[in-house]
Amino acid sequence: MCGITRLHNFGIPGVRIEGVLHSFTGKVDSQLTNKMFLTNSFNFNRYNRLFQGGITIVPPPAAVTKGYSENFTRQDSYLNDTLFQWTENRGALRNTFTAGLTVDWGNFDQASPTFTAAPTYRGPNYNVPVTNVNNDPRGIRGAAVTTFYTQNVLSYFAQNSLVWKRVSILAGLRRDDFEQVLTRTDTRVRAANEAGRWSPRIGGDVTVGTGESGAMVVFANYARGFRPQLPGLNVQNNVVIPQLLRPELTSNTEGGLRFQGRVLNVQASVFNMRKLDGQRSFRAGP
């Protein structure tokens, strides 16, 4: 767009991105009776990442730096999920009750050093600085701004599905409670937040036609959503912003047609999600 080719857009030698992920998952299934089923799964993830980048060069005659930035993050997450299901069949009527409990906790630590007095360059020669010529292209490394973040989420839900002949109805209710704490080395402010929300869900479908090749089903559902924010998505200038961690509430509606066949499944639907409290402090839109 700016007339800069790959030959002109010089970066900084040695700049790189490195990441290491460790993950463990375990699962246990228990068939309590021929009608009752219990399962529990546990997952642990540790993700270490070094990010270097932010190269930004604009056309001459402006004198610019190479816009270097750097951060090192470590994110640990633990998830334990327990699910209970009870199915009862009575003739043409089948009832399935499902209940679950999820415990999710973890931390997000990030160190972002500051850089000052970076050399400036004037195109088209972006390898020869015009100011601070003796400094590293990154600038002079200063103190690191360190972010420490922890979050705990407790969620539980119950839902019931009733199937009678060609009609299926589902209704459920979910509760999420969370607490999060954010501290940084460059401020004494300690951002702590606790909240909870009930989220209902209702849906159903009707089989409107059957044949040898399959069945045509009309379906619709509605749900409320509640989601605490991930700190990695709420960063400005390599610093996690506390006010951006406020949970988001959504209203979700879906409806459509679904063909279920022996060898082919086709679905056409309309889905609408509305943010009930979309944050506009830094996001471009609702």
Side-chain angles (χ1 to χ4, degrees), residues 181-195:
V181 177
L182 173 70
T183 57
R184 294 205 312 260
T185 54
D186 65 332
T187 176
R188 294 184 177 181
V189 176
R190 179 178 180 268
N193 194 11
E194 295 183 16

Side-chain angles (χ1 to χ4, degrees), residues 62-276:
V64 296
T65 68
K66 292 193 174 181
Y68 177 77
S69 64
E70 176 183 315
N71 63 68
F72 177 79
T73 60
R74 186 186 74 178
Q75 184 168 348
D76 295 340
S77 62
Y78 304 82
L79 177 67
N80 193 83
D81 202 358
T82 304
L83 185 71
F84 170 78
Q85 190 172 76
W86 177 23
T87 303
E88 185 78 29
N89 294 307
R90 294 186 178 181
L93 184 66
R94 184 181 68 195
N95 188 79
T96 303
F97 173 78
T98 306
L101 173 67
T102 301
V103 183
D104 185 0
W105 71 100
N107 61 273
F108 177 93
D109 302 333
Q110 176 175 282
S112 303
T114 57
F115 293 86
T116 59
T120 59
Y121 303 82
R122 193 183 301 273
N125 191 346
Y126 290 106
N127 274 337
V128 179
V130 295
T131 65
N132 297 322
V133 295
N134 295 321
N135 292 348
D136 188 279
R138 301 167 176 82
I140 300 175
R141 180 185 293 264
V145 176
T146 305
T147 299
F148 301 99
Y149 174 81
T150 60
Q151 177 174 277
N152 303 305
V153 183
L154 176 64
S155 307
Y156 46 94
F157 78 95
Q159 71 178 30
N160 197 78
S161 174
L162 187 66
V163 180
W164 180 70
K165 295 183 179 180
R166 297 187 175 189
V167 179
S168 175
I169 299 175
L170 181 144
L173 189 63
R174 178 185 176 99
R175 173 73 183 185
D176 294 275
D177 291 290
F178 83 97
E179 58 180 12
Q180 56 189 13
V181 177
L182 173 70
T183 57
R184 294 205 312 260
T185 54
D186 65 332
T187 176
R188 294 184 177 181
V189 176
R190 179 178 180 268
N193 194 11
E194 295 183 16
R197 179 70 62 172
W198 290 101
S199 303
R201 176 187 181 191
I202 187 170
D205 59 64
V206 179
T207 302
V208 295
T210 59
E212 295 182 358
S213 58
M216 183 67 71
V217 179
V218 178
F219 69 93
N221 57 72
Y222 171 81
R224 284 288 185 99
F226 174 79
R227 185 189 67 165
Q229 296 298 296
L230 296 173
L233 302 178
N234 299 280
V235 176
Q236 286 182 342
N237 300 323
N238 291 331
V239 177
V240 180
I241 308 299
Q243 61 267 30
L244 303 184
L245 292 170
R246 191 183 67 192
E248 290 183 341
L249 307 179
T250 61
S251 175
N252 311 277
T253 307
E254 185 182 21
L257 293 171
R258 181 171 56 243
F259 175 78
Q260 299 172 324
R262 295 181 179 179
V263 296
L264 181 66
N265 292 326
V266 180
Q267 176 173 307
S269 62
V270 175
F271 178 78
N272 180 69
M273 179 173 68
R274 179 189 177 195
K275 281 188 180 179
L276 303 181

Side-chain angles (χ1 to χ4, degrees), residues 35-53:
K35 299 179 180 180
M36 298 183 184
F37 178 77
L38 181 69
T39 182
N40 188 87
S41 61
F42 173 80
N43 175 257
F44 165 76
N45 285 288
R46 166 166 290 179
Y47 181 43
N48 296 333
R49 187 188 73 160
L50 171 65
F51 175 83
Q52 299 175 333

